[in-house]
Amino acid sequence: MDITELCSNRREALTELWVNRFFATYPLDSKGFMRTKRDRFANPVGETTRMAAGILFDAVIGMDADSATVKQALHDLIWIRAVQDMPPSKAVGALYLLKEILRSEVLPECLKPERSGFSVLNDYLAMESRLDTLGLMALDMYSEARERVFRIRVEEVKRSQSQVIRLAKLRREQAESAPETENRGVEE
Amino acid sequence: MAKMPTPEELLAVTPASFPKEGWMDTKPDFHPGSFCYPAKTEILKGLGFENAHDWAPDNEDWELPENWEDIIHNSLQDALNKHRSLKVFMDCCVRCGACADKCHFFIGTNDPKNMPVLRAELLRSVYRKDFTTAGRLLGKIAGARKLDKSIIKEWFIYFYQCTECRRCSLFCPYGIDTAEITVIVRQMLLDLGLGIHWIMNSVNDCNRTGNHLGVQPHSMREIVEFLCDDIETITGIRVDPPWNEKGHEVIFITPSGDYFADPGIYTFMGYLMLFHEIGLDYTLSTYASEGGNFGSFVSFDVAKKLNAKMYAEAERLGVKWILGGECGHMWRVVNQYMATYNGPTPPNMEVPVSPITGTVFKNAAATKMVHIAEFTADLIKHNKLNLRPERNNHIITTWHDSCNPARAMGLLEEPRYILRHVCNNFVEMPEHTIREETFCCGSGSGLNAEEIMDQRLRGGFPRANALRYVHDTKGVNWMGCVCALDRAALPPLVDYWVPGVTVSGLHELVANALVMKGEIPRTMDLRQEDLPFPDEDPAASEEA
């Protein structure tokens, strides 16, 4: 049994543990709602997290995963957390909470003597590396999200003043095209 | 070597991470981005708030007046005397939790103090301590707590994280109106000299010039002339709106964002084109130059003052009724408060009758004020407009029910009726996110300040999430709305969550489809972007 099979057999339990770790980054009083309200429009943070965790888990354990789907899932997850008033480590680092779960739930299985002749430990390490890759991708996405927020703030100011800017430009054009009047100086 | 924390320790997510203290003792955190900038002292003083003072939200000491506890006590006592509703709201909540998960701020932040029940409890706990026997005797056991300075800070954070959208009220079996509670707490904070710049500066401008943006009469006229130039470029028709003229049938009043900011200006151009086309006997006013009312977000008294100019100008100019533009909270003020604030209507005003169709707007018999969506829907119903919806064929639009028109005046069908006549592709967002249950843009009630953009983005996430769904599954690339704050707040929201969707007012789409008598063949839309489906050029077809 390879590592992918080993993990996919326990997919539901392992992703649930991971999702609960994500939810644990929010206040305790909100966890119940996030966990139990299974409606993507009534509980978008909870359900986006859950959906993303499933897709990312498959990618980490080495299932055939469409890279665009994986990227989108990670993007959806990180772009929510990027504006939720948490430090970057918490926004992105929650991905790594899967390591602790894998180490306590899957690693002991890999270290069993009957598996010693197989490459399962190497596969396990490769699996952790894939999670590291997701972490790096998440870092890029987090910083892209923050840059978007800053750009949005600037653009909002411009939009809210659009007619004043237009008026000011017109005034300047008028001033520049107006003929110089004589005797404007004060020297005389 | 120093001990490094594990990732779990760093992120503080041990499986049983129980909070160290209960909600009453959890103090709010102030850091840039978590609060709006404070109102300027001279502005508050000018508006008559006598305890105005210099302070900063992220300073430990807010330099409250010495007798701050008495001020709050008296302010709450006044509010309870004046608003029987507040007393009922304070006493009748049974903590059933129906509202708890209905607030977009709770859904987007997952902060329990954004549950409407808990937000109200921030005030209710103080009310219990000071105004109920059980609270006085039993304290915490009865859900009461003694007022301290950290509670003032908590109010400032959380009552400026409510957009007064009233979605929670819809689900409350008692109809507790959190928006009213929020306004009253903001009023109490103002009594201590604590307000936010974005709201109070707009209130000050409105008090001085008639509009939130402080646009003076000559500038307003100049800006509108720009828009008339644009209309001429697009249609070949010169529109010349009357200004401050007496003797017309109607005065048109709209939020200043419509003639000042993108993309509201396109909606404003739409109004002008429509009025020109139907030959409406109307005037604009540089005094009643604002339909919105930022005062209504913080104080009933200020709201009343800012609202007064509508009837005053209607009386001065001798109009029969008021036609109101696409605004959100303006319509809550009109429908729920205006008659009490500044009624009865001036004697020259009459029950509105459409001069084009003869329809009597009995629903506006009390206020004498008709929403432009009602007016235009009636024109379409009576076949008074020549519309070419094909011009909007590149648009697949959805409809965002702006909170106040939807929940405070039941304006649900009229915009949809119009939209279906001016756009061939209209898609609804999922149920429970539209109509009465619509999700707020996340920036209402004066919270569209740029410094809290993160808060706005997470508060608007439930709205954006529903939009994203129809964008992904139905190809929606446009979202219409009837609220100037929406038109300001939704573009950044969409830019972050659902890039590729354009936000506009309803009458921008109407005017794009409107065939005006004598116009040139349209090749561009109101934004002066090329129309993918331009009008046929008659000269070209003759040559062919």
Side-chain angles (χ1 to χ4, degrees):
Chain A
M1 190 186 284
D2 64 12
I3 194 87
T4 307
E5 204 179 340
L6 197 67
C7 294
S8 65
N9 285 345
R10 299 182 58 199
R11 181 180 190 276
E12 207 171 308
L14 294 173
T15 51
E16 191 61 23
L17 282 172
W18 196 21
V19 165
N20 281 334
R21 288 300 167 87
F22 274 111
F23 292 164
T25 60
Y26 296 96
L28 182 73
D29 290 328
S30 307
K31 257 173 72 178
F33 162 75
M34 297 184 79
R35 212 177 59 237
T36 55
K37 188 86 177 181
R38 301 301 309 274
D39 178 324
R40 61 182 290 185
F41 302 112
N43 176 19
V45 177
E47 287 303 286
T48 306
T49 303
R50 194 179 284 279
M51 214 179 300
I55 293 168
L56 299 177
F57 180 82
D58 289 347
V60 168
I61 67 170
M63 305 261 287
D64 270 342
D66 171 44
S67 68
T69 310
V70 173
K71 265 190 187 166
Q72 188 63 53
L74 188 59
H75 176 279
D76 293 349
L77 178 71
I78 297 300
W79 277 53
I80 290 174
R81 299 175 70 82
V83 291
Q84 281 194 317
D85 205 16
M86 48 176 94
S89 57
K90 201 167 186 173
V92 173
L95 284 172
Y96 290 121
L97 299 176
L98 181 60
K99 275 194 187 174
E100 191 216 357
I101 295 167
L102 293 175
R103 285 176 191 175
S104 64
E105 301 288 327
V106 179
L107 188 58
E109 193 69 27
C110 300
L111 294 174
K112 279 185 178 167
E114 61 265 31
R115 296 188 193 279
S116 61
F118 302 93
S119 62
V120 69
L121 194 57
N122 282 341
D123 292 347
Y124 180 88
L125 293 175
M127 180 168 75
E128 282 208 346
S129 293
R130 283 193 289 274
L131 186 58
D132 292 336
T133 304
L134 287 183
L136 294 172
M137 288 164 65
L139 185 62
D140 286 346
M141 289 172 181
Y142 179 87
S143 99
E144 194 192 338
R146 295 309 310 166
E147 281 170 20
R148 177 75 64 88
V149 173
F150 302 141
R151 200 199 71 204
I152 283 172
R153 289 176 65 173
V154 173
E155 282 174 4
E156 178 167 85
V157 173
K158 285 195 219 162
R159 223 178 1 253
S160 66
Q161 306 289 331
S162 69
Q163 294 306 296
V164 174
I165 294 167
R166 196 174 167 185
L167 201 60
K169 279 183 184 164
L170 183 80
R171 291 267 183 281
R172 196 177 60 192
E173 279 168 21
Q174 285 170 344
E176 281 169 4
S177 62
E180 283 287 323
T181 32
E182 286 178 14
N183 299 330
R184 285 175 72 189
V186 289
E187 286 88 352
E188 291 173 40
Chain B
M1 187 181 155
K3 184 183 173 289
M4 289 269 283
T6 66
E8 292 73 26
E9 286 166 345
L10 185 69
L11 306 185
V13 282
T14 47
S17 52
F18 283 98
K20 291 189 192 80
E21 24 225 1
W23 70 265
M24 277 192 189
D25 301 312
T26 307
K27 307 295 180 210
D29 178 27
F30 284 82
H31 56 271
S34 71
F35 54 80
C36 294
Y37 299 145
K40 287 183 183 156
T41 305
E42 66 268 24
I43 281 182
L44 285 190
K45 283 217 162 120
L47 289 166
F49 293 99
E50 53 190 44
N51 288 313
H53 61 280
D54 291 336
W55 67 289
D58 48 352
N59 280 358
E60 184 56 35
D61 184 1
W62 284 12
E63 303 184 33
L64 300 180
E66 257 177 44
N67 58 338
W68 68 273
E69 284 165 298
D70 294 337
I71 293 171
I72 288 292
H73 183 89
N74 295 338
S75 188
L76 183 53
Q77 179 72 70
D78 279 354
L80 289 164
N81 291 344
K82 200 186 276 182
H83 307 277
R84 272 188 302 170
S85 54
L86 179 66
K87 178 103 177 61
V88 173
F89 297 159
M90 290 295 102
D91 288 331
C92 77
C93 175
V94 290
R95 291 175 207 70
C96 69
C99 64
D101 57 357
K102 304 305 185 296
C103 172
H104 52 286
F105 273 120
F106 172 69
I107 296 172
T109 62
N110 303 106
D111 179 345
K113 284 189 184 171
N114 276 325
M115 293 176 185
V117 56
L118 197 41
R119 199 192 311 280
E121 203 68 14
L122 302 180
L123 174 65
R124 207 175 269 130
S125 52
V126 171
Y127 160 80
R128 284 199 198 99
K129 182 76 182 163
D130 284 5
F131 295 93
T132 69
T133 310
R136 260 193 293 264
L137 295 176
L138 299 172
K140 263 192 180 177
I141 299 166
R145 61 176 173 170
K146 190 175 173 342
L147 185 66
D148 66 34
K149 285 183 180 175
S150 74
I151 293 177
I152 300 296
K153 294 184 173 186
E154 191 177 48
W155 287 354
F156 185 77
I157 280 275
Y158 287 101
F159 286 101
Y160 281 103
Q161 243 178 116
C162 165
T163 49
E164 304 175 7
C165 79
R166 299 166 75 245
R167 188 170 193 263
C168 52
S169 310
L170 188 73
F171 294 90
C172 173
Y174 290 105
I176 293 175
D177 188 343
T178 305
E180 288 211 351
I181 297 174
T182 295
V183 173
I184 287 165
V185 174
R186 289 181 181 183
Q187 166 76 62
M188 289 161 65
L189 291 169
L190 277 173
D191 289 343
L192 290 178
L194 310 172
I196 70 167
H197 176 73
W198 187 256
I199 294 178
M200 298 318 291
N201 195 51
S202 301
V203 165
N204 183 51
D205 281 339
C206 201
N207 189 44
R208 190 170 51 86
T209 63
N211 59 75
H212 294 147
L213 297 159
V215 181
Q216 295 183 18
H218 59 287
S219 301
M220 181 182 181
R221 188 164 180 166
E222 223 165 7
I223 288 168
V224 171
E225 274 170 13
F226 271 155
L227 302 180
C228 294
D229 292 344
D230 289 347
I231 292 172
E232 192 170 7
T233 306
I234 297 160
T235 66
I237 292 173
R238 185 72 200 177
V239 170
D240 191 16
W243 288 96
N244 303 326
E245 286 181 8
K246 290 185 178 175
H248 291 286
E249 187 170 354
V250 175
I251 180 173
F252 179 67
I253 302 177
T254 201
S256 52
D258 278 0
Y259 56 83
F260 200 76
D262 278 354
I265 52 168
Y266 309 114
T267 305
F268 194 88
M269 287 160 65
Y271 306 145
L272 296 183
M273 289 161 68
L274 177 74
F275 301 157
H276 178 90
E277 178 58 20
I278 61 174
L280 185 69
D281 180 23
Y282 79 109
T283 182
L284 297 174
S285 163
T286 52
Y287 170 48
S289 53
E290 177 66 69
N293 191 327
F294 268 42
S296 70
F297 302 145
V298 292
S299 156
F300 296 105
D301 294 332
V302 177
K304 175 181 175 174
K305 187 179 184 198
L306 299 187
N307 173 261
K309 63 179 173 282
M310 291 199 189
Y311 284 153
E313 189 68 334
E315 184 167 23
R316 187 180 75 87
L317 297 177
V319 300
K320 291 182 182 163
W321 53 281
I322 304 172
L323 183 58
E326 296 183 20
C327 185
H329 66 275
M330 155 179 166
W331 288 100
R332 178 149 62 97
V333 174
V334 168
N335 276 278
Q336 299 190 335
Y337 301 110
M338 184 157 75
T340 319
Y341 285 164
N342 294 307
T345 51
N348 53 298
M349 296 186 80
E350 298 172 7
V351 177
V353 179
S354 169
I356 316 299
T357 65
T359 299
V360 182
F361 290 97
K362 289 183 191 156
N363 59 318
T367 61
K368 318 282 194 293
M369 188 155 175
V370 175
H371 192 291
I372 189 150
E374 297 169 326
F375 181 73
T376 304
D378 176 63
L379 292 173
I380 295 174
K381 175 89 177 163
H382 288 86
N383 210 19
K384 298 291 181 190
L385 301 181
N386 184 4
L387 297 168
R388 194 174 290 161
E390 295 75 24
R391 286 183 188 149
N392 288 326
N393 269 0
H394 56 296
I395 290 170
I396 304 174
T397 190
T398 190
W399 182 251
H400 164 65
D401 292 277
S402 305
C403 303
N404 285 304
R407 280 191 277 270
M409 71 180 295
L411 190 84
L412 304 170
E413 296 305 332
E414 292 87 343
R416 287 175 168 78
Y417 181 81
I418 295 171
L419 210 49
R420 288 197 175 93
H421 282 83
V422 300
C423 281
N424 286 325
N425 311 304
F426 167 51
V427 175
E428 289 277 19
M429 285 183 279
E431 62 170 345
H432 307 307
T433 74
I434 54 170
R435 303 176 72 88
E436 301 92 333
E437 293 179 61
T438 185
F439 275 121
C440 178
C441 63
S443 304
S445 81
L447 299 187
N448 53 325
E450 160 272 323
E451 65 266 22
I452 51 161
M453 183 58 81
D454 284 38
Q455 177 185 307
R456 293 166 51 192
L457 291 174
R458 53 184 180 261
F461 178 54
R463 167 76 298 152
N465 179 58
L467 172 64
R468 160 95 181 269
Y469 175 75
V470 287
H471 173 69
D472 289 350
T473 58
K474 310 272 175 63
V476 164
N477 57 10
W478 203 277
M479 180 155 71
C481 58
V482 270
C483 169
L485 278 178
D486 278 339
R487 284 191 285 280
L490 289 172
L493 190 73
V494 163
D495 193 3
Y496 188 82
W497 297 110
V498 205
V501 175
T502 302
V503 174
S504 85
L506 185 59
H507 280 75
E508 177 181 342
L509 293 170
V510 170
N512 272 335
L514 182 69
V515 181
M516 299 173 74
K517 290 180 276 293
E519 69 176 11
I520 55 174
R522 297 255 195 115
T523 57
M524 50 184 152
D525 63 13
L526 263 56
R527 300 183 185 210
Q528 300 198 36
E529 285 166 11
D530 287 342
L531 279 175
F533 305 97
D535 292 349
E536 269 184 34
D537 185 348
S541 53
E542 267 172 35
E543 277 173 29

